[in-house]
Amino acid sequence: MRKLKTLLMLLFTLGLAVLLSTAALADNATSGTCGENVTWSLEGGVLTISGEGEMEEISPNTGIAWDSQRASITKIIIEDGVTTISSNAFNNCINLTSVTIPDSVTFIDEYAFWNCKSLTSIAIPDSVTSIGYCAFHHTAYYKDSDNWENSVLYIGHWLIAAESDIAGNCAVKSGTIGFSAGAFDLCSSLTSVTIPNSVTFISELAFSGCSSLTSVTIPDSVTAIGSYAFSRCSSLTHITIPDSVTSIGSYAFHNCSSLTSITIPDSVTSIGEGAFDRCSSLTSVTIPDSVTSVGAGAFYECTSLTSVVIPNSVTSIGSITFSGCSGLTNITIPNSVTSIGNYAFYECSSLSDVYYGGSEDDWNAVEIGSNNDYLISATIHYNSVIDTGDADGAPTAPATSGDLNGDGEVNAGDLTILARHVGKVETIEDEAYLANADVTGDGSVDASDLTKLAQYVGKIISSLD
């Protein structure tokens, strides 16, 4: 019996040893996949990434196959064909001294080389268009004070980071093509930035939390403004977006509480979710007719905003877009809009007038979501002319069919203006109001329009439709 127990114990011990050795081998694997068409191999301290396309997403919780061997990696070679370097891919490779990044790589994600304490030299190819948050922070290159210029760290043509105590004006070095995400994050003493026309993209979180920033010049080389790029820049009062920009990212100007006005050029096609939310001092905004998409909550709690004109290019107003805009008194909505999301005008307690580009039947066909009571109870002015601005981009007063003086009403004053125009006493010069004068819709303004308007003002007819 004792021999049997001894034999069983021996077998158990051997089985446990096999399991442990198998697990150890798995932890110390020397090759595998790290993307749909990307592989890796580790030999003699050299980690080689090969293949075509993107590396797989790496979560701090799940890690990647070479996690347990990071300390043994001294050199990384990424071969041509690989297009991305994933977040956390090579962080904490504390003995890494050399990395080769090919021209095929376009994106280096956040924390990619974070805390690579022995990495003293880094070359970023010109193919890279975006660098994530803290991608190269706490490398030996980052910690070497000789690599910093006027409190700013560059790697090649990229601005990687700025010291948190940088103050006054920062003139970004000529030839810089981009910022890593969060490059000036929380630089609370920075007051102004001059960006050279070599920069094409304002990265996400680039100037987030720069609470003293009052002035920034965006050159016309920039084509996009990233998410949270200027969020919480509470001293920024005005910003001009050049007509080279095509998209404004989510929460780009979130909580810029001193921003009073902004002009969006007609090159912009999309405004991201929450782009201007909580800009509590914003009194006016011009949305050009190039914009086809306005994200949910784009103007959430812009409490000083009084009037907005939605252009004909927009087909829907997303949820909570103007929610909490307690100062909004009127809005112009084109008949291209077919749906208005939940809470889009929630708590817009001052909203009294809606200038709608279509007929009453058209308005009744618009799908309006829940909690839009102030919108529904406002006075709807049907068949309004949608005017997105004058030649200089400045918004003009909403115009309604028959309203020839821009007061939002059709009455005897408008009848007098039309009579003087038809009688050639005083010509209506403004094209928007001239279009309003054509109440018969026949393409000309003449006595028939005067007759119809007189019938409406005299309450002989109830509508100008």
Side-chain angles (χ1 to χ4, degrees):
M1 186 69 178
R2 181 176 295 174
K3 289 182 178 180
L4 179 61
K5 287 182 177 179
T6 302
L7 181 60
L8 289 173
M9 182 62 70
L10 180 60
L11 290 172
F12 174 77
T13 303
L14 287 171
L16 183 60
V18 170
L19 286 172
L20 290 174
S21 62
T22 302
L25 286 171
D27 283 344
N28 293 291
T30 58
S31 64
T33 60
C34 55
E36 185 175 352
N37 296 302
V38 181
T39 61
W40 68 277
S41 63
L42 178 59
E43 184 177 353
V46 179
L47 177 62
T48 303
I49 310 296
S50 310
E52 301 285 336
E54 300 178 357
M55 289 181 65
E56 66 186 7
E57 291 293 324
I58 300 171
S59 164
N61 297 322
T62 59
I64 199 163
W66 55 80
D67 268 351
S68 64
Q69 303 176 80
R70 289 179 186 266
S72 69
I73 299 171
T74 58
K75 184 177 183 179
I76 294 173
I77 299 173
I78 303 170
E79 295 188 343
D80 191 52
V82 177
T83 58
T84 66
I85 299 175
S86 298
S87 60
N88 304 289
F90 310 116
N91 66 7
N92 289 308
C93 291
I94 57 175
N95 294 308
L96 177 67
T97 59
S98 172
V99 60
T100 302
I101 303 173
D103 288 336
S104 56
V105 170
T106 59
F107 177 46
I108 301 173
D109 209 345
E110 61 183 5
Y111 299 102
F113 295 93
W114 183 82
N115 204 38
C116 291
K117 297 179 180 180
S118 302
L119 188 60
T120 59
S121 177
I122 305 162
I124 301 173
D126 290 342
S127 57
V128 172
T129 59
S130 181
I131 298 176
Y133 193 76
C134 292
F136 297 99
H137 282 46
H138 302 295
T139 58
Y141 184 92
Y142 179 91
K143 291 185 176 182
D144 187 346
S145 60
D146 289 341
N147 293 325
W148 291 74
E149 303 176 35
N150 300 317
S151 299
V152 175
L153 178 69
Y154 296 91
I155 298 179
H157 297 302
W158 281 84
L159 192 158
I160 299 300
E163 295 280 8
S164 60
D165 60 355
I166 188 172
N169 176 63
C170 175
V172 177
K173 188 166 65 174
S174 178
T176 300
I177 61 175
F179 311 128
S180 68
F184 291 90
D185 188 25
L186 298 175
C187 292
S188 57
S189 297
L190 185 70
T191 57
S192 63
V193 179
T194 304
I195 302 171
N197 60 11
S198 51
V199 173
T200 60
F201 174 58
I202 307 295
S203 62
E204 63 181 16
L205 294 163
F207 299 96
S208 177
C210 293
S211 55
S212 298
L213 187 66
T214 58
S215 173
V216 60
T217 302
I218 301 176
D220 57 12
S221 56
V222 171
T223 59
I225 297 174
S227 301
Y228 294 93
F230 296 96
S231 67
R232 296 178 295 122
C233 290
S234 53
S235 298
L236 193 63
T237 58
H238 177 74
I239 190 164
T240 299
I241 300 174
D243 58 12
S244 54
V245 172
T246 59
S247 64
I248 299 172
S250 300
Y251 301 95
F253 297 92
H254 158 72
N255 208 14
C256 290
S257 55
S258 297
L259 191 66
T260 58
S261 65
I262 189 160
T263 300
I264 302 171
D266 59 12
S267 55
V268 172
T269 58
S270 65
I271 298 173
E273 177 181 343
F276 300 97
D277 83 325
R278 294 187 172 91
C279 290
S280 55
S281 298
L282 187 66
T283 57
S284 66
V285 61
T286 302
I287 304 174
D289 58 13
S290 57
V291 172
T292 58
S293 171
V294 179
F299 298 95
Y300 175 72
E301 288 193 357
C302 291
T303 53
S304 298
L305 197 61
T306 59
S307 177
V308 176
V309 177
I310 305 293
N312 289 305
S313 50
V314 173
T315 58
S316 65
I317 298 174
S319 59
I320 68 171
T321 299
F322 297 100
S323 179
C325 292
S326 55
L328 188 65
T329 60
N330 69 79
I331 187 164
T332 301
I333 300 174
N335 62 354
S336 57
V337 170
T338 58
S339 64
I340 297 173
N342 298 334
Y343 293 89
F345 293 90
Y346 181 66
E347 293 187 342
C348 292
S349 54
S350 299
L351 186 60
S352 58
D353 294 279
V354 175
Y355 297 91
Y356 179 61
S359 66
E360 184 173 3
D361 288 341
D362 293 332
W363 176 254
N364 291 334
V366 175
E367 182 181 345
I368 300 177
S370 62
N371 293 285
N372 284 301
D373 296 346
Y374 289 110
L375 174 70
I376 294 169
S377 61
T379 300
I380 312 298
H381 303 271
Y382 302 109
N383 297 305
S384 297
V385 174
I386 307 303
D387 180 12
T388 57
D390 60 22
D392 297 320
T396 57
T400 304
S401 180
D403 177 13
L404 308 184
N405 56 15
D407 64 357
E409 298 179 357
V410 179
N411 52 34
D414 302 296
L415 187 61
T416 300
I417 293 171
L418 184 54
R420 292 173 66 83
H421 176 83
V422 172
K424 299 182 179 181
V425 175
E426 185 177 356
T427 303
I428 300 172
E429 300 290 348
D430 190 289
E431 290 185 5
Y433 293 127
L434 188 61
N436 279 1
D438 181 19
V439 293
T440 60
D442 62 0
S444 62
V445 178
D446 50 31
S448 62
D449 298 293
L450 183 61
T451 299
K452 185 172 183 178
L453 188 60
Q455 290 175 335
Y456 176 78
V457 172
K459 299 182 179 181
I460 298 172
I461 58 175
S462 59
S463 173
L464 288 172
D465 293 346

